[in-house]
Every structure is written in structure tokens, then in C-alpha cells.
Amino acid sequence: MEKTLQQKLIDAANEARKHAYVPYSGYKVGAALLTRSGEIVTGCNIENSSYTPTVCAERVAIFKAVSEGVVDFVALAVVTDNGGSPCGVCRQVMGEFMLEGTVLIADKDGNLLEEMSVNELLPRAFTPKHLGH
Ligand code: THU
């Protein structure tokens, strides 16, 4: 993936991070998805006083896109304070739509810390193939 495009995606994730609703953890996360057609769809984490309804930034971005009929993704940038890695539930959701896609992990200053495929993040994944899709 081209460096300028990587940075554009990281910057979009960082911008979305500003909207994180995190009164409980204080841990802001921003995500930005690059679709196959070159569109960028963003998300932030949204917490809840009942805790379990909390959704991660990655899933918000993916579900926003899917709900608009877009299901083909190339890359996903995730920005946190300290380069936190996507949780297991988000990895599973990424595996559904972008197993071969790239994940960029960056910090709040926009520095790219890690780059890997979803396949690498979630080895031996249960995928749509196991259900014949
Ligand atoms: N969080 C994300 O948004 N993405 C992840 O992959 C890990 C965790 C959020 C959920 C919660 O709002 C906060 O970070 C602390 O767990």
C-alpha cells in the first residue's frame, strides 16, 4: 500500500477518534476503512453505562460501511493513544469481510507502528468458507 494513502487512512482514523464516546475507560479509538472503490469509512468507539453494549471503533466503521451496501475492504487503520491492537471480536468481524486485507496500527501522533494482514492477526480463523460461502 502506498505511503501517502496509508497516512491518509491513519489521519482519517485519528480524526474519527475525536468523536470517541468514552466516559468510562477514557480510551479513545478511531478507525478508518479503505473500501475497494477507494472510499474511506470511519468509526470511533462508543461506550455505554451498562458496559456490554460498548462497541469498538473498528466494528463501528465496518458496520457503517456494510449497512450502506459496501462489503469489499482493502485496509483498516486503527489509532489509539499507545498503539493498541484490535480486540478478538473485531478481528473476527474483520475476518468476515477482509481476511486478506491490511491492518495499520498507529498511535495518536499518526505514527504507523505495525502493519499486518487480518490473516496474520487471526490465524486459523473461522470464516464464511466453513459455512460454504
Ligand atoms: N476498543 C476499541 O475501540 N477497539 C479495540 O480493538 C479494543 C478496544 C475500545 C472499547 C472500549 O471503549 C475501550 O477501547 C477500552 O476497552
Side-chain angles (χ1 to χ4, degrees):
M1 208 179 146
E2 196 201 316
K3 284 279 165 208
T4 48
L5 187 54
Q6 277 188 347
Q7 202 56 52
K8 190 176 169 190
L9 204 58
I10 290 168
D11 292 347
N14 217 355
E15 197 57 33
R17 187 170 174 266
K18 292 180 184 165
H19 302 298
Y21 177 78
V22 291
Y24 309 106
S25 74
Y27 192 75
K28 294 183 175 192
V29 186
L33 255 185
L34 179 65
T35 71
R36 181 80 54 197
S37 64
E39 211 188 326
I40 291 179
V41 181
T42 62
C44 63
N45 52 336
I46 305 170
E47 299 187 342
N48 189 277
S49 56
S50 182
Y51 293 4
T52 53
T54 292
V55 278
C56 294
E58 298 92 319
R59 275 176 291 145
V60 169
I62 293 171
F63 293 158
K64 272 173 69 180
V66 174
S67 72
E68 291 172 10
V70 183
V71 292
D72 204 358
F73 310 126
V74 174
L76 174 68
V78 186
V79 174
T80 61
D81 240 14
N82 53 6
S85 197
C87 83
V89 174
C90 289
R91 291 177 195 207
Q92 182 64 32
V93 173
M94 290 176 206
E96 183 76 19
F97 298 104
M98 51 181 297
L99 200 59
E100 307 303 326
T102 301
V103 177
L104 306 173
I105 296 177
D107 66 19
K108 64 176 187 310
D109 299 317
N111 300 310
L112 176 62
L113 303 176
E114 285 185 275
E115 175 180 356
M116 77 280 298
S117 69
V118 174
N119 237 329
E120 288 174 291
L121 267 178
L122 189 66
R124 304 174 64 103
F126 185 81
T127 68
K129 276 192 189 146
H130 294 108
L131 296 179
H133 290 269

